[in-house]
Amino acid sequence: MSLKTEQIAVAKLTPHPKNVRQGDVGAISMSLEMHGQYRPIVAQKSTGYILAGNHTYKAAMSLGWKDIAVTYVDVDDDQALRILLMDNRANDIASYDEGGLGEVLSLLMDTEKQLAGTGFNPEDLDELLALVTGIATLDPAEAFAAIPDGDRPNATQMTFMLTLDQGEMVKEALALAKSVDGYDLDTGNVNSNGNALALIAQEFIRVIR
Amino acid sequence: MSSAKDLIVKPIGSADARAFVKKHHYSGKVAANSQLHLGVFWNGKLEGVMQFGPSMDKSHSIRLVEDTGWNDFLELNRMAFSDVLPRNSESRAIAVAMRLIKKHSPNIQWVVSFADGTQCGDGTIYRASGFVLTGVKKNKTIMELPDGRVVADISLNISGRTTGKTASWWRKNGAKSLEGFQLRYVYFLDPTARERLTVPILPFSDIDRLGAKMYLGEKPGVGGVSNTSSNLLGNGGASPTPTLHQED
């Protein structure tokens, strides 16, 4: 059986009345808009019923297309019904090489259009990687938020090593400093130990000088 | 067959990154200050990790490029790859990482990293990835303790967690600096940062000339000069590699 593709008026086609497939017309519409029609609808010659491409037909209608590419097949009603089911079932039972799919999607993610027109989105890629590797990937916006920007904060952290005795002495001095009225006023610091230590240092410098 | 172009580079959580680095980095240690962890996936497996964060000695490093804002540069703290990756994977992964940084953190103008020429290598991957060499310095900071442990002096001094003793104490008690060099590399995300570099860009041939060559932990042959020249040690010398050796 040789197949021939012809361009016909969309109105000449009829969705198959026994089509039970529920396709995503929105996704197909996006594909038609981005890629155009890249394979013909398959219709039964005697009835004009669509055997493969019922949702492509609906998407084309929703986009206001006047013409569409069709290949007619000359089959009886029994075979038409079997083709209708088989075309969808073949998709259902197919699977992906998930590692390979991840690589292909990742390649496209590097392009300007990213995953537009593939039917996949970045979240799909993340889920795929997590499924294949057992390692969850993060949303880049979330991950990069960990990198600070802006000016240097007006804060510094100091760490000292002390003997136990020195540590106790410092604690006592900090407690005494905190008992001074206004020890933390107008310092711009909300850390009480930092304010107490600064007061101690200030007094020490004043006395020594 | 998959090639380096098929690598996938995506941010991952710190726990996964740290586990990988502990297993695959030559030091077996992670950098505690890393903020961004990028996983390198290949053939459906995590086969590499790059960790970025602030420099340990940020006040010093920031002077490398004039007019750099406090948070406008990063350090590539750790980089570890498994040995199954195809050729050029490391440079490919770095290229993707730099693109991601440029896209998601456009304030970052440059990235500094250090090659440990005492135990690992002289930075072949950096040179293949577009980094410039800005310092070659004889190691004085990575120490081997008498019991064989290798640590950075800063990790001893900062927290005391490593051994409970300071670096100076250890030096008086048998610790020795490892033979070899530290090499400092810079990658410019903002081309104008290159013009503001405050130290000279060194020719890669200096590595051989100074006897700093190392590949996979082996010195392939020492060059004619055994000591760094004073000008390199002055303005252009590399900072130590504390983050390469900081304890977890």
Side-chain angles (χ1 to χ4, degrees):
Chain A
M1 178 167 64
S2 66
L3 297 175
K4 196 172 74 177
T5 300
E6 47 193 292
Q7 198 74 12
I8 65 159
V10 179
K12 283 190 177 176
L13 292 170
T14 308
H16 199 290
K18 288 194 167 57
N19 181 41
V20 290
R21 182 74 158 185
Q22 295 180 331
D24 187 334
V25 176
I28 299 171
S29 297
M30 282 176 60
S31 172
L32 289 180
E33 282 191 304
M34 186 155 183
H35 305 302
Q37 187 186 5
Y38 52 81
R39 73 174 159 227
I41 282 176
V42 178
Q44 187 183 12
K45 188 173 181 181
S46 58
T47 63
Y49 287 165
I50 298 170
L51 306 183
N54 277 281
H55 294 91
T56 302
Y57 162 84
K58 289 181 183 174
M61 290 289 279
S62 74
L63 293 173
W65 284 18
K66 304 289 182 213
D67 301 319
I68 200 159
V70 176
T71 296
Y72 283 108
V73 290
D74 191 7
V75 294
D76 61 24
D77 290 348
D78 176 81
Q79 194 175 1
L81 203 53
R82 291 174 194 279
I83 291 172
L84 177 71
L85 291 170
M86 186 65 212
D87 185 62
N88 289 324
R89 183 61 180 152
N91 276 327
D92 292 342
I93 58 180
S95 63
Y96 284 103
D97 164 4
E98 286 161 335
L101 176 61
E103 288 174 6
V104 173
L105 293 179
S106 184
L107 271 181
L108 291 175
M109 275 298 289
D110 278 351
T111 64
E112 192 179 339
K113 292 179 188 170
Q114 297 192 334
L115 298 184
T118 66
F120 292 92
N121 58 46
E123 290 73 32
D124 294 328
L125 178 55
D126 291 342
E127 286 174 18
L128 194 61
L129 278 177
L131 181 72
V132 172
T133 64
I135 291 178
T137 58
L138 306 179
D139 173 29
E142 179 192 333
F144 279 83
I147 298 178
D149 56 10
D151 295 331
R152 181 177 190 173
N154 182 23
T156 184
Q157 188 171 9
M158 297 181 177
T159 307
F160 307 97
M161 285 180 71
L162 302 168
T163 65
L164 291 176
D165 287 344
Q166 287 172 327
E168 288 305 315
M169 189 165 55
V170 168
K171 280 183 193 170
E172 187 181 347
L174 290 176
L176 276 172
K178 286 180 192 175
S179 69
V180 175
D181 279 346
Y183 82 100
D184 57 352
L185 280 182
D186 300 326
T187 61
N189 186 4
V190 295
N191 184 283
S192 60
N193 281 336
N195 285 320
L197 182 60
L199 178 62
I200 294 165
Q202 183 184 323
E203 284 302 302
F204 179 79
I205 292 167
R206 188 179 63 77
V207 170
I208 290 292
R209 283 185 180 157
Chain B
M1 187 177 172
S2 290
S3 71
K5 284 189 176 176
D6 299 318
L7 294 177
I8 298 171
V9 180
K10 301 277 286 182
I12 61 173
S14 63
D16 287 325
R18 291 158 74 94
F20 186 92
V21 167
K22 280 184 179 177
K23 187 174 175 189
H24 291 277
H25 195 263
Y26 72 92
S27 72
K29 297 169 186 170
V30 300
N33 57 330
S34 295
Q35 297 163 327
L36 173 68
H37 316 275
L38 296 180
V40 181
F41 298 89
W42 189 66
N43 275 350
K45 288 184 181 168
L46 181 67
E47 300 288 5
V49 162
M50 293 171 284
Q51 296 184 291
F52 295 84
S55 285
M56 282 292 286
D57 191 358
K58 201 168 178 178
S59 298
H60 176 78
S61 298
I62 198 170
R63 295 185 216 136
L64 272 174
V65 177
E66 204 170 41
D67 295 331
T68 299
W70 182 248
N71 287 314
D72 292 348
F73 74 106
L74 282 177
E75 182 176 301
L76 174 51
N77 303 131
R78 276 286 188 285
M79 187 166 61
F81 296 94
S82 74
D83 54 10
V84 304
L85 288 170
R87 278 186 61 166
N88 303 322
S89 292
E90 295 87 349
S91 52
R92 164 78 181 164
I94 287 174
V96 177
M98 295 302 175
R99 280 212 302 273
L100 285 171
I101 292 171
K102 196 167 184 174
K103 179 178 177 184
H104 295 285
S105 292
N107 60 302
I108 302 296
Q109 300 175 7
W110 49 278
V111 176
V112 64
S113 196
F114 297 92
D116 177 5
T118 68
Q119 302 175 89
C120 182
D122 57 34
T124 309
I125 295 168
Y126 297 134
R127 296 196 295 281
S129 303
F131 280 78
V132 297
L133 177 68
T134 66
V136 180
K137 187 177 181 181
K138 197 157 190 172
N139 173 55
K140 290 179 183 170
T141 59
I142 302 173
M143 299 162 46
E144 182 172 10
L145 306 184
D147 61 7
R149 278 181 293 172
V150 175
V151 292
D153 59 359
I154 196 166
S155 72
L156 296 172
N157 293 337
I158 279 184
S159 64
R161 282 181 306 167
T162 315
T163 63
K165 306 287 185 188
T166 63
S168 61
W169 184 93
W170 276 113
R171 287 193 195 284
K172 290 173 192 160
N173 288 274
K176 291 194 170 82
S177 295
L178 288 183
E179 287 286 321
F181 289 78
Q182 305 289 338
L183 300 96
R184 185 182 60 211
Y185 290 89
V186 176
Y187 186 97
F188 299 105
L189 289 161
D190 174 354
T192 68
R194 188 186 182 104
E195 296 158 18
R196 290 180 275 121
L197 189 68
T198 57
V199 295
I201 293 175
L202 306 178
F204 294 147
S205 57
D206 269 9
I207 297 170
D208 193 20
R209 186 176 66 78
L210 297 169
K213 284 187 83 167
M214 175 168 276
Y215 185 68
L216 297 176
E218 300 288 335
K219 287 187 86 65
V222 179
V225 182
S226 59
N227 274 319
T228 50
S229 58
S230 58
N231 64 322
L232 289 176
L233 282 170
N235 293 327
S239 295
T241 320
T243 52
L244 288 174
H245 299 274
Q246 191 189 1
E247 289 284 358
D248 184 6

